[in-house]
């Protein structure tokens, strides 16, 4: 079955800097790659996703890139703000279920 | 997005008892899932709740421990049976909704279970 690895496990950046989180997946049939943000005590919130027919997708300060050949995808957050501090999860899915990475705790210091 | 509610939001149960968690969605969805999130950990898929048939369980999860019902396209229940302290976790219902695009997956608010 699918296996998703995520790095780094923790990331600390200064406000205004960029943050990059990387994930690799094992199942070449996977075609849907969402990213979730989870604040303390809250449910995971979908922030952006990408499908295998697209190499990059942007939404304001957030972008995701996908390299299907290498089976990895990344989340890029530019101009980070303290409210970006949270745990971020990547996930991968084929036709039926999402498998999650281990999570990255992002801390943005003012 | 999808409006998903779960009941209860939290509970404290004694070992050996069971807890049933309800998940209600604001409109019909084909795919509903149950996840577990242990403290400080990622989300682990327990099972896919299938309407009209038995749930599909992931490796390490069995029907006797985690019976699931899916009586219709907007509702599901997860029971955690014969509770032990190791079952203390957050349990999340999730749905895959297809809208105008290819679809997205959303989560309920979770049920925080503490077993004493």
């Amino acid at each position: 079955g699918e296996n998703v690895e995520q790095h780094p496990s923790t990331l600390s950046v200064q406000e205004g800097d960029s943050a990059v989180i990387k994930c690799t997946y094992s199942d070449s049939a996977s075609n849907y790659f969402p990213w979730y943000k989870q604040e303390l005590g809250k449910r995971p919130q979908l922030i952006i996703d990408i499908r295998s027919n697209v190499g990059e997708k942007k939404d304001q300060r957030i972008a995701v890139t996908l390299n299907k050949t290498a089976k990895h995808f990344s989340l890029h957050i530019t101009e980070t703000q303290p409210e970006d501090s949270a745990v971020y999860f990547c996930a991968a899915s084929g036709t039926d279920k999402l498998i999650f990475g281990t999570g990255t705790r992002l801390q943005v210091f003012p | 997005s999808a409006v998903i509610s779960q009941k209860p939001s939290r509970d404290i149960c004694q070992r050996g008892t069971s807890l049933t968690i309800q998940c209600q969605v604001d409109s019909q969805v084909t795919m509903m899932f149950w996840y577990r999130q242990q403290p400080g950990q990622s989300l682990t898929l327990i099972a896919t709740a299938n309407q009209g048939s038995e749930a599909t369980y992931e490796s390490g999860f069995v029907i006797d421990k985690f019976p699931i019902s899916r009586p219709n396209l907007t509702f599901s229940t997860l029971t955690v049976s014969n509770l032990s302290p190791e079952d203390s976790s957050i349990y999340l219902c999730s749905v895959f909704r297809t809208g105008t695009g290819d679809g997205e997956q959303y989560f309920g608010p979770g049920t925080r279970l503490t077993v004493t």
Side-chain angles (χ1 to χ4, degrees):
Chain A
E2 178 66 277
N3 183 51
V4 180
E5 294 190 0
Q6 183 171 346
H7 301 281
S9 57
T10 61
L11 180 58
S12 296
V13 300
Q14 204 73 35
E15 182 178 1
D17 287 350
S18 295
V20 180
I21 303 170
K22 299 182 179 182
C23 289
T24 60
Y25 61 98
S26 61
D27 188 352
S28 56
S30 289
N31 57 11
Y32 176 54
F33 307 93
W35 287 87
Y36 290 84
K37 175 183 180 182
Q38 188 175 33
E39 296 174 336
L40 190 63
K42 304 271 184 74
R43 75 185 82 186
Q45 294 277 8
L46 178 67
I47 57 171
I48 195 168
D49 59 13
I50 192 167
R51 287 182 163 83
S52 59
N53 56 347
V54 175
E56 182 175 359
K57 185 177 177 180
K58 263 187 171 180
D59 183 2
Q60 299 184 346
R61 297 186 296 108
I62 295 173
V64 57
T65 59
L66 171 64
N67 183 327
K68 280 227 79 178
T69 304
K71 289 193 277 190
H72 65 68
F73 57 113
S74 301
L75 178 71
H76 305 251
I77 306 174
T78 58
E79 300 170 33
T80 54
Q81 301 166 3
E83 50 265 38
D84 294 328
S85 297
V87 179
Y88 291 80
F89 293 99
C90 65
S93 171
T95 56
D96 56 355
K97 59 193 178 189
L98 272 184
I99 302 300
F100 282 80
T102 48
T104 297
R105 181 174 300 279
L106 172 65
Q107 285 188 296
V108 181
F109 292 98
Chain B
S1 65
V3 177
I4 308 169
S5 60
Q6 280 184 238
K7 281 197 241 185
S9 58
R10 58 178 63 224
D11 207 342
I12 301 172
C13 300
Q14 292 196 341
R15 66 177 69 202
T17 63
S18 299
L19 176 69
T20 295
I21 303 166
Q22 298 179 6
C23 177
Q24 180 76 51
V25 190
D26 64 336
S27 62
Q28 294 183 345
V29 291
T30 304
M31 303 180 82
M32 292 181 78
F33 307 92
W34 287 98
Y35 284 82
R36 181 175 72 184
Q37 188 173 30
Q38 294 178 306
Q41 303 294 312
S42 183
L43 295 96
T44 301
L45 180 63
I46 297 171
T48 302
N50 303 307
Q51 197 266 331
S53 65
E54 213 168 83
T56 305
Y57 289 85
E58 296 300 304
S59 176
F61 297 96
V62 295
I63 188 171
D64 289 347
K65 176 69 175 177
F66 299 98
I68 287 171
S69 79
R70 179 89 193 270
N72 56 53
L73 292 175
T74 63
F75 186 79
S76 178
T77 67
L78 167 74
T79 298
V80 189
S81 303
N82 190 24
L83 289 168
S84 68
E86 294 72 40
D87 295 319
S88 296
S89 196
I90 297 173
Y91 293 86
L92 297 120
C93 170
S94 181
V95 305
F96 188 85
R97 164 164 286 171
T98 52
T100 54
D102 293 319
E104 296 168 339
Q105 187 156 333
Y106 300 98
F107 284 85
T111 296
R112 183 181 294 273
L113 169 61
T114 303
V115 182
T116 60

